[in-house]
Amino acid sequence: MFGSIDEVKNRLAEEKYICSGEIATVIYLAERLEKPVLVEGPAGVGKTDLGKVTAAALGREFIRLQCYEGLDEAKSLYEWEYSKQLLYTQILKDVLAEELEGAKNLSEAVERVARQDEVFFSRKFIVPRPLLRAITSEKPALILIDEVDKSDPEFEAFLLEILSDFQVSIPELDTLKAEHIPMVVLTSNNARELSDALKRRCLHLYIDFPDWEQELEIVRLKVPGISERLAEQVVKAVQRLRKLDIKKTPGISETLDWARALVVLGSDSLDQELARSTLNIILKYEKDIQKAKESLRQVVEG
């Protein structure tokens, strides 16, 4: 458990995650209040990493649920392992035959088989998916529900019950309640507007692109061997690229990819020619690359 907001910042820094006071405050309160955190912001600013490093800093098991269109309860909560059940019925067919011996009609046979339901619908035959794993974990866990905005509104409504009570009802078993309330981090890239009901249950955090000083600190921390000159030039160039009218604004992850690539190329400084030949590492659309090339002097030299 974090003892203070400063401790959050220090322990996340030990995991190589540089965070602002606002981020540290929300994470501190989320753990203390046992409230989920909804992290919004543009892609590539470290929302997913925040969940990972928080779990590592707290020594919690990290569980990830990647959201997508069509995600449903079975894929996120649990499934019955039908193939294993079928295998067991084959192995135990002699026992089942003895159980059915003497049945006078089909109804009686079905009734006798039904009495064995608890054998085949027990936790032995259940496949826990991320949500159930988080709830039934024997030790404190952190579940990352990543890109929740990509899921359907119906799934979002299903999440409300989970996030409110941290329990699930399995008809064949019982209601399973969390022994340890899992820490929950949800991320959204704002692909669609999330419901007010979900937001009410969460502490809200918006992570924007970092300022120049913070991004430079991240590059120094995460790109070993980079020269101070190259680090500063890369960060300045990225900050200028973000001001262009382009389709996909580069995030921190692209900044790090670019910096690492330049180090691999043996560079200790960035000039226009080197930038021109490596823009495809940081920009993902051809039109964005062409637009950057038209402003290359401004991007590299300011």
Side-chain angles (χ1 to χ4, degrees), residues 28-276:
Y28 175 74
L29 292 175
E31 194 204 13
R32 286 303 180 107
L33 300 176
E34 297 185 333
K35 295 266 289 183
V37 184
L38 173 60
V39 189
E40 295 188 287
V45 295
K47 302 188 295 297
T48 299
D49 278 352
L50 178 60
K52 292 179 183 176
V53 299
T54 300
L58 288 169
R60 289 178 176 242
E61 180 186 3
F62 177 70
I63 300 169
R64 179 174 181 169
L65 173 61
Q66 178 63 50
C67 296
Y68 53 87
E69 189 177 349
L71 178 64
D72 58 17
E73 188 174 327
K75 296 184 179 70
S76 62
L77 191 57
Y78 71 91
E79 289 182 286
W80 289 107
E81 197 170 7
Y82 295 117
S83 58
K84 186 175 178 181
Q85 289 170 324
L86 181 60
L87 177 63
Y88 271 60
T89 58
Q90 293 297 314
I91 294 173
L92 300 173
K93 60 182 180 182
D94 292 341
V95 176
L96 290 172
E98 290 176 11
E99 181 67 24
L100 296 174
E101 187 176 355
K104 296 176 182 176
N105 51 47
L106 182 59
S107 297
E108 185 178 345
V110 170
E111 185 63 31
R112 290 186 183 186
V113 172
R115 286 203 294 266
Q116 310 303 321
D117 274 0
E118 62 183 24
V119 174
F120 292 100
F121 289 94
S122 64
R123 296 185 71 164
K124 186 188 298 291
F125 295 99
I126 213 166
V127 182
R129 298 306 184 193
L131 288 174
L132 187 60
R133 283 178 54 206
I135 288 173
T136 58
S137 176
E138 294 180 354
K139 55 185 181 180
L142 183 150
I143 180 165
L144 172 71
I145 303 176
D146 210 10
E147 299 183 325
V148 66
D149 51 322
K150 288 185 176 177
S151 66
D152 300 313
E154 292 77 10
F155 179 75
E156 187 184 323
F158 161 71
L159 273 180
L160 294 179
E161 179 187 350
I162 303 289
L163 298 182
S164 295
D165 304 326
F166 292 103
Q167 65 179 34
V168 294
S169 297
I170 301 178
E172 298 85 350
L173 296 178
D174 202 349
T175 298
L176 303 180
K177 192 173 178 62
E179 283 189 32
H180 305 282
I181 301 295
M183 192 169 180
V184 182
V185 176
L186 304 98
T187 72
S188 167
N189 292 331
N190 299 315
R192 68 172 174 81
E193 187 69 22
L194 300 175
S195 70
D196 290 343
L198 180 65
K199 290 184 177 180
R200 275 199 305 275
R201 285 163 173 78
C202 302
L203 299 179
H204 184 262
L205 175 64
Y206 185 87
I207 301 180
D208 205 348
F209 295 114
D211 59 26
W212 187 82
E213 289 83 2
Q214 189 181 23
E215 191 159 21
L216 180 59
E217 191 176 357
I218 293 170
V219 170
R220 287 172 179 150
L221 184 67
K222 295 205 169 190
V223 186
I226 191 169
S227 70
E228 184 63 22
R229 183 183 181 194
L230 179 60
E232 291 183 3
Q233 287 179 316
V234 166
V235 173
K236 284 180 180 176
V238 172
Q239 297 266 330
R240 292 171 189 137
L241 283 170
R242 290 184 185 137
K243 294 178 181 176
L244 298 179
D245 181 21
I246 54 179
K247 183 175 182 178
K248 170 68 172 68
T249 305
I252 299 171
S253 56
E254 282 91 3
T255 303
L256 295 173
D257 285 345
W258 199 21
R260 288 175 182 132
L262 295 175
V263 170
V264 168
L265 292 173
S267 309
D268 59 7
S269 64
L270 182 67
D271 57 30
Q272 290 187 48
E273 190 53 40
L274 182 57
R276 183 186 301 276

Side-chain angles (χ1 to χ4, degrees), residues 1-13 24 28 57:
M1 180 172 285
F2 294 121
S4 66
I5 294 171
D6 284 340
E7 186 180 341
V8 176
K9 294 183 72 171
N10 293 335
R11 287 170 65 179
L12 294 191
Y28 175 74

Side-chain angles (χ1 to χ4, degrees), residues 6-30:
D6 284 340
E7 186 180 341
V8 176
K9 294 183 72 171
N10 293 335
R11 287 170 65 179
L12 294 191
E14 289 173 3
E15 300 297 329
K16 297 189 175 183
Y17 190 94
I18 306 299
C19 71
S20 65
E22 182 184 1
I23 293 174
T25 301
V26 171
I27 292 298
Y28 175 74
L29 292 175

